[in-house]
Amino acid sequence: MNIPLFIAALTFMITMYITPGPNNILCAVHGSQYGVRKTLPLISGMAFGWLVMGLFVAVTLEVIEEYKDILSYLTYIGAAYIAYLSYNVATSKPIQDDNDESQILGPKTGLMLQFVNGKAWIHDLVLMGTFGTAFGSGLESKIILVFLSIILCLPAILSWTAFGTLLRRIFSTPESSVFLNRFLGFSLFLVSVWLVYY
């Protein structure tokens, strides 16, 4: 194992996971509206999507690097989808204990988000392209990094979800709930803009 490269990979991954992105902001929003337990299915879909996408990038890295233009189209699609989600968040009803459970996002949304998440694609390409030899020169090294990335990203996503539930306690009145929804929706919209111009 290349220890300096491994430490650099850990630094890169942890930084990517704790900073705002589509997954983190969406989990904070969902957590603020429905709590941690009801956000777990969304998180499970994100984790599975992250695994599938990571393994796909690990296996096809050389081919993907030849067709990077395709990723720009995925980024635009992802930004549009995230902007759509941000509108739904910003215009959602004030937080109530009897929130409409039909609005709860499940594994399918978490899974689909990964494939249009520009930040996730950039993360995987940099992780595999720059740090892919941390555990050796073969495909096994990249696969280890994929599983390590899932282990590291789950606590970050859960922390953002818990942060959302904390916001729910602070913004408990209908007026403050409207403000919170608009603020979080706008934050998610900023993520979509950032994806386009990153």
Side-chain angles (χ1 to χ4, degrees), residues 32 92-97 166-181:
S32 74
S92 63
K93 295 177 183 177
I95 299 169
Q96 299 172 349
D97 290 332
L166 176 65
L167 289 177
R168 177 178 179 151
R169 293 191 188 112
I170 296 170
F171 295 90
S172 57
T173 65
E175 295 80 13
S176 62
S177 293
V178 169
F179 170 79
L180 177 62
N181 288 345

Side-chain angles (χ1 to χ4, degrees), residues 132-173:
T133 58
F135 295 98
S137 58
L139 178 63
E140 296 82 7
S141 176
K142 293 181 177 67
I143 291 173
I144 291 170
L145 281 176
V146 170
F147 282 96
L148 180 61
S149 72
I150 292 171
I151 292 168
L152 291 174
C153 80
L154 285 175
I157 291 175
L158 287 168
S159 297
W160 277 85
T161 306
F163 174 66
T165 62
L166 176 65
L167 289 177
R168 177 178 179 151
R169 293 191 188 112
I170 296 170
F171 295 90
S172 57
T173 65

